[in-house]
Amino acid sequence: MSGRLGGTLAVITGAARGIGRATATEFAAEGADLVLLDVAGDIDGVPYPLGTQSQLDTTARLCGKFGGSVTAVSVDIRNSSRVKEVLAETLDQHGRIDVLVNNAGLVSPSGKPVHEIDDDEWQVMLDVDLTGQFRMMREVLPSMLRRGAGSVVNIASTAGLVGYRHFAGYVSAKHGLIGLTRAASLDYAPKGIRINAVCPGSVYDDPELESVMMAEIARCLDLPAGDSERAFVASQPTNRLVRAHDVARAVLWLASDESRDVTGSVVAVDGGFTVR
Ligand SMILES: NC(=O)c1ccc[n+]([C@@H]2O[C@H](COP(=O)([O-])OP(=O)(O)OC[C@H]3O[C@@H](n4cnc5c(N)ncnc54)[C@H](O)[C@@H]3O)[C@@H](O)[C@H]2O)c1
């Protein structure tokens, strides 16, 4: 199979829609075989709809057009035994995992200051956005170690680099994910495994990708519906929102051998937002 990821087996979490779908289709176009994971259902205490089975199937169908193998599986990355089971099945079937894209994430429950956050709200943010990524890495890394090769790309956020008011859970988890990326990159650099993070800025809610995250952030901030895009654009040095496919192409580069000397890096795809 030709392409920048030809002959590569990539596991992508949060693949039902948004950045996960954009990444999956970019990978498929470059020849990757894919295992696409998503919770494909709602989570108690999360106030906006998550990806669905039909959205996950749509991503799989779009990727399948490129001719590689595509498997779509529902898994909640909060569930250690289910994560273990799904990755064991992947290894049984494909014999290898070359790339892990840790993309699944929640942006809320958010929208309040720290003293108003209850234990359950805090727990679900950390459990998905930080511990979920850890669980995925813990299960994938032994097989990468056996082969002496692999690339993990953690999808963090500009919220991993700077603070945002009323998003303490999200900001804490994403800062933690950058810490996990840096620490783990040192553990595995001598073993041929690279671990990097990508920090998207404000990404346009592309209807084709069924993205909803900016709308949910606007709702948490009580921004008037319909006007929120203008508010986010105003804080962008580039005067435009980031496109999910541009994030996906940074992920693709980090997944491929083109970035073979890059590990422990934190790549912002944020239109210059964090430069100021
Ligand atoms: N959209 C943005 O503006 C933006 C900006 C910075 C960072 N990010 C990050 O990019 C990633 C993708 O964001 P998006 O905008 O595509 O969001 P999205 O909500 O459209 O997609 C996230 C996917 O993750 C899945 N998911 C959530 N919890 C899960 C769980 N416990 N187990 C498995 N799957 C789960 C959801 O079902 C959904 O399909 C997230 O980690 C997010 O924090 C997004």
Side-chain angles (χ1 to χ4, degrees):
M1 173 76 78
S2 60
R4 292 158 73 193
L5 293 180
T8 296
L9 189 282
V11 174
I12 303 175
T13 68
R17 67 186 187 196
I19 293 169
R21 179 181 290 174
T23 303
T25 53
E26 293 285 345
F27 276 33
E30 290 295 342
D33 294 324
L34 295 171
V35 174
L36 305 176
L37 309 181
D38 203 284
V39 65
D42 289 341
I43 292 179
D44 276 354
V46 175
Y48 66 106
L50 298 180
T52 64
Q53 187 62 49
S54 113
Q55 288 176 329
L56 183 59
D57 292 341
T58 298
T59 304
R61 186 174 42 77
L62 292 169
C63 293
K65 290 180 184 167
F66 294 97
S69 129
V70 184
T71 311
V73 185
S74 65
V75 56
D76 184 339
I77 59 168
R78 295 176 304 165
N79 183 335
S80 288
S81 56
R82 178 78 182 126
V83 164
K84 197 186 270 284
E85 178 182 67
V86 167
L87 293 172
E89 282 166 9
T90 299
L91 284 168
D92 272 357
Q93 208 180 333
H94 296 277
R96 58 199 281 168
I97 297 174
D98 301 289
V99 176
L100 167 64
V101 181
N102 250 332
N103 165 75
L106 302 175
V107 73
S108 80
S110 293
K112 43 171 92 164
V114 168
H115 70 278
E116 293 179 13
I117 299 173
D118 69 29
D119 281 353
D120 290 344
E121 290 167 336
W122 179 261
Q123 185 60 39
V124 74
M125 291 304 298
L126 273 287
D127 207 3
V128 175
D129 286 5
L130 178 56
T131 314
Q133 325 306 317
F134 157 74
R135 287 187 192 98
M136 289 295 301
M137 286 169 64
R138 184 175 58 186
E139 297 310 323
V140 165
L141 284 163
S143 68
M144 291 183 171
L145 275 175
R146 284 194 290 278
R147 297 186 49 248
S151 172
V152 176
V153 186
N154 291 324
I155 309 303
S157 167
T158 50
L161 299 168
V162 298
Y164 287 90
R165 62 188 286 272
H166 289 181
F167 282 88
Y170 187 64
V171 167
S172 300
K174 294 295 190 181
H175 272 68
L177 182 55
I178 289 178
L180 173 63
T181 301
R182 288 183 168 137
S185 72
L186 294 176
D187 290 345
Y188 297 94
K191 312 287 186 189
I193 301 165
R194 300 180 300 106
I195 304 177
N196 293 286
V198 169
C199 292
S202 296
V203 177
Y204 169 65
D205 276 348
D206 186 341
E208 283 196 13
L209 300 171
E210 304 184 76
S211 310
V212 299
M213 193 166 275
M214 293 311 293
E216 176 57 14
I217 293 170
R219 192 193 65 78
C220 291
L221 293 172
D222 285 330
L223 295 176
D227 203 30
S228 56
E229 188 171 328
R230 190 141 39 101
F232 294 123
V233 168
S235 61
Q236 290 293 105
T238 50
N239 293 318
R240 62 167 188 259
L241 298 181
V242 172
R243 298 286 156 160
H245 278 279
D246 290 336
V247 176
R249 283 188 277 269
V251 178
L252 171 63
W253 175 69
L254 288 170
S256 77
D257 289 342
E258 293 163 19
S259 60
R260 65 186 180 186
D261 281 320
V262 181
T263 195
S265 286
V266 178
V267 178
V269 185
D270 68 348
F273 178 83
T274 49
V275 174
R276 299 194 287 199

